[in-house]
Amino acid sequence: MTRSNDPQAADLAQLARISLDTNHPICQVCGQPLHEGDDITAYAYRAAGEHAYAIGYIMCGSDIHEHPTVFTRGVREYVLTGHIGTCSNTRTQSTTFVLLDPTPVVTSPTTTAEPHVYPDAPTPRNPTQPTQQEPTPLLTAVREHARSDGGCPREGSE
């Protein structure tokens, strides 16, 4: 067996048939029950230093709800479309729901919190990314809200 030098191909191989980690899959946005064969959008993540991905949550349909908009530095994250399948264990007489045919829509590597949208992704829109503002330095905040006479800040400014 040869190892692929393409990290995305290795990730997708690991994400194919990954457990959805639930016995009763439902959409995390609208609460609709999901069944084998249903199209879904899934959020998968792997913290730096971890070897395996986990599914954070699933959403119904093939990308009909908003994507995650905030990604985390130090965590490899994927938004994937696919569909629900099942994997049966005859020894334990149990069935596990899994993600089949994962297609990446958005990813965020561990080195940044910026998303990468795949140009050929099966989605007509980009995920919304809120503009993140740097926190206001304390001295600046004090200057902006302090009164020249040393009194309390103006009413309604808090």
Side-chain angles (χ1 to χ4, degrees):
M1 183 164 114
T2 59
R3 295 193 102 172
S4 171
N5 290 333
D6 179 6
Q8 180 183 336
D11 286 348
L12 291 177
Q14 190 180 102
L15 291 164
R17 296 182 187 90
I18 187 172
S19 172
L20 298 180
D21 201 25
T22 181
N23 293 327
H24 306 286
I26 62 167
C27 176
Q28 297 289 318
V29 177
C30 67
Q32 178 177 332
L34 301 169
H35 308 283
E36 185 175 9
D38 287 350
D39 288 331
I40 61 171
T41 298
Y43 167 76
Y45 65 95
R46 182 184 74 198
E50 293 294 321
H51 298 287
Y53 278 90
I55 297 292
Y57 58 85
I58 58 176
M59 298 176 282
C60 63
S62 182
D63 194 36
I64 61 173
H65 296 301
E66 287 294 320
H67 294 162
T69 57
V70 178
F71 295 94
T72 307
R73 182 183 293 258
V75 179
R76 176 87 168 159
E77 299 159 295
Y78 277 96
V79 175
L80 306 156
T81 57
H83 62 275
I84 296 176
T86 56
C87 182
S88 298
N89 183 332
T90 55
R91 180 180 286 171
T92 62
Q93 296 294 303
S94 63
T95 301
T96 303
F97 290 102
V98 295
L99 176 65
L100 296 178
D101 299 326
T103 302
V105 176
V106 179
T107 189
S108 177
T110 57
T111 57
T112 181
E114 293 297 315
H116 168 73
V117 179
Y118 288 83
D120 56 346
T123 178
R125 60 179 164 70
N126 290 337
T128 56
Q129 176 79 18
T131 55
Q132 293 189 352
Q133 298 177 335
E134 291 293 319
T136 304
L138 180 59
L139 189 55
T140 303
V142 169
R143 283 184 187 147
E144 290 175 358
H145 296 290
R147 289 182 29 185
S148 61
D149 63 0
C152 293
R154 293 182 238 61
E155 264 187 51
S157 67
E158 289 185 70

